Amino acid sequence: MAKVTRRDALTCVGAWSGAAIVWGVAGGIPRALGLANEAATAQAAKGQFTFVQISDTHVGFHKEANLDVVGTLRRAIGDINGLAGRPAFAVHTGDITHLSKPEEFDLAAQVLGELELDRIHYVPGEHDTLDNGLHGFLARYGADSQQRGYYSFDDHGVHFVALVNVLDFKTGSLTSLGDEQLRWLRQDLSGLSASTPIVVLAHIPMWTVYEPWGWGTADAAQALQHLRRFGSVTVLNGHIHQVMQKIEGNISFHTAMSTAYPQPAPGTADAPGPLTVAAQDLGRVLGTRRVVRVPGRHALATIDTPITRQ
Amino acid sequence: MLRLTAVLMFAAAGSGAATAPREIDISQFAFKPQEITVAAGTEVTWVNRDQTIHSVIAQGGGFSSRGLDTGDRFTMVFEHGGDFIYICSLHPFMKGVVHVRESIGKAP
């Protein structure tokens, strides 16, 4: 398999024609597994452990950038329900709602309930903590974590860690996980074999994508210290409403598309926020991710799929 | 339109200062003006003029708004002197300061 550079990969994205790109990462070098049409994707995922990532649904948002966030979410759900090879479950990496209102949580739960999957694992985004901190989030999704917000679980030999990095904002700086959660993480990982694949879920990127916009986690390095001994670590984030990837040793970082609205690329606008694109292009910048455990590979493969593919 | 009001209560008696209400716009991801000085007892209202959500959260937790959508307002009455630094929790690079002075506007 030929190595591809980031330029090559971006060229592939630019030449998008209804196909998904399957990414694999090995030895610190990102490699495209090839442009995969849906049949090939299905074949690659056939019989494998797969799950899907949904992020930044922002239920309650109703502005020019997207006047129908429930509609675009339902298109994404339809795509997932139509996948050949049923994912084991979904993860939602935060900003379920736009304003943390109870009616937004209710509507989000109702619509996400249309996913034909057994369960969804959630982490909160900062938009889910605007009304009395984690109260609204934990009222619905606190059972996984005994009402702490952060938790872990195991599935198909993969250890999943769900973190909260949307509560501890300090003036003019990045958000953080905080010492208590870092202690818990160290303890949670302590009994695991280094060969256990790890997936980390957190809303805000666990690497500094762009500090002036707060797109990073101040104490992520301390969390990563506990993760470096593992042979395969996949970090799945949301928050920035666009796909970005970074590799550090055995750790790969992936931010995801939103199902609600895009945001500008780092530094390309005066500030982050909803980006209005031409109506016919909106579906090309919204989407979901499928994650596949490929036998014989340390790293998990990710497939980012927009809701408009033609 | 949502209107949120909070009052900081302190042990000291309220001042008799001139306390014309002040307004701070939240616009283009900035608090405008970013820094104000007011007399104790002044009512300060933040108004979100942006298309995106913002919040007003005091450093140290003295006061906090809910998420403010476009056009939403958050009002505080500052009854006691001090320097109150605040941020938007959604965009922590946004920072503002309210200086409250108990002597401003008092009769000599």
Side-chain angles (χ1 to χ4, degrees):
Chain A
M1 186 184 311
K3 290 180 182 177
V4 293
T5 63
R6 177 170 172 77
R7 181 181 298 275
D8 292 335
L10 291 172
T11 301
C12 288
V13 172
W16 192 280
S17 57
I21 295 176
V22 183
W23 278 94
V25 182
I29 307 294
R31 298 162 184 256
L33 301 181
L35 278 173
N37 61 29
E38 292 187 4
T41 302
Q43 187 61 34
K46 191 176 179 182
Q48 311 304 330
F49 168 54
T50 72
F51 64 95
V52 294
Q53 180 188 5
I54 296 175
S55 201
D56 296 87
T57 47
H58 285 267
V59 170
F61 179 85
H62 186 76
K63 295 279 167 55
E64 184 185 11
N66 187 352
L67 296 171
D68 184 15
V69 297
V70 168
T72 48
L73 173 57
R74 283 202 161 109
R75 287 176 61 188
I77 289 171
D79 285 347
I80 293 167
N81 286 342
L83 286 171
R86 190 180 181 199
F89 54 82
V91 298
H92 191 309
T93 43
D95 284 356
I96 304 159
T97 68
H98 196 55
L99 276 167
S100 311
K101 292 180 177 175
E103 59 269 32
E104 295 176 348
F105 276 112
D106 289 345
L107 179 58
Q110 176 193 327
V111 176
L112 287 162
E114 295 168 13
L115 271 172
E116 294 168 1
L117 299 174
D118 294 338
R119 62 192 184 280
I120 307 173
H121 297 280
Y122 293 88
V123 294
E126 78 282 1
H127 281 259
D128 301 318
T129 65
L130 288 169
D131 190 359
N132 197 15
L134 282 177
H135 176 80
F137 175 84
L138 292 177
R140 288 159 180 79
Y141 308 117
D144 274 346
S145 65
Q146 290 81 50
Q147 304 300 317
R148 281 180 315 211
Y150 50 87
Y151 59 100
S152 65
F153 61 95
D154 296 277
D155 206 301
H156 287 76
V158 177
H159 186 70
F160 290 78
V161 178
L163 301 177
V164 177
N165 61 355
V166 294
L167 291 177
D168 192 8
F169 289 96
K170 292 184 174 62
T171 308
S173 72
L174 301 174
T175 183
S176 60
L177 295 157
D179 292 342
E180 180 183 325
Q181 192 171 193
L182 286 167
R183 279 194 296 274
W184 171 85
L185 177 64
R186 180 181 180 185
Q187 178 70 26
D188 180 74
L189 297 172
S190 63
L192 297 175
S193 157
S195 62
T196 306
I198 308 290
V199 173
V200 178
L201 311 173
H203 178 66
I204 293 177
M206 291 280 284
W207 87 97
T208 303
V209 174
Y210 192 59
E211 189 165 2
W213 288 358
W215 287 1
T217 303
D219 53 2
Q222 294 173 60
L224 298 178
Q225 276 184 349
H226 305 314
L227 292 161
R228 292 199 191 284
R229 71 182 178 89
F230 293 94
S232 167
V233 180
T234 306
V235 181
L236 302 178
N237 301 130
H239 189 57
I240 68 171
H241 297 212
Q242 58 198 289
V243 174
M244 295 191 73
Q245 295 165 324
K246 175 183 163 67
I247 312 299
E248 278 186 25
N250 291 333
I251 305 176
S252 64
F253 303 82
H254 308 260
T255 61
M257 283 181 279
S258 163
T259 63
Y261 56 83
Q263 293 204 79
T268 62
D270 291 338
L275 181 67
T276 301
V277 300
Q280 67 270 22
D281 293 333
L282 181 60
R284 302 179 198 281
V285 288
L286 307 178
T288 57
R289 165 175 291 146
R290 196 176 189 193
V291 184
V292 183
R293 186 175 186 188
V294 182
R297 290 182 179 275
H298 288 298
L300 305 184
T302 63
I303 308 162
D304 291 290
T305 306
I307 61 175
T308 297
R309 293 181 294 281
Q310 294 180 0
Chain B
M1 183 177 293
L2 182 67
R3 183 177 174 91
L4 302 171
T5 302
V7 178
L8 271 187
M9 299 302 292
F10 293 90
S15 75
T19 54
R22 295 288 301 273
E23 209 165 89
I24 298 173
D25 276 352
I26 308 175
S27 171
Q28 295 177 308
F29 287 76
F31 298 108
K32 300 175 181 177
Q34 190 259 340
E35 189 167 355
I36 63 170
T37 300
V38 301
T42 300
E43 180 181 284
V44 178
T45 298
W46 286 261
V47 186
N48 184 9
R49 311 283 186 193
D50 269 349
Q51 288 291 303
T52 195
I53 307 300
H54 292 295
S55 66
V56 178
I57 310 289
Q59 190 176 49
F63 56 89
S64 63
S65 73
R66 293 188 177 190
L68 304 176
D69 205 345
T70 308
D72 284 351
R73 306 164 74 88
F74 170 66
T75 297
M76 280 288 306
V77 178
F78 290 88
E79 296 283 6
H80 194 69
D83 298 314
F84 300 93
I85 298 169
Y86 61 92
I87 62 169
C88 166
S89 65
L90 299 162
H91 314 99
F93 56 89
M94 294 168 58
K95 177 182 171 184
V97 186
V98 179
H99 302 289
V100 183
R101 299 289 177 255
E102 299 197 4
S103 59
I104 295 176
K106 278 187 175 178

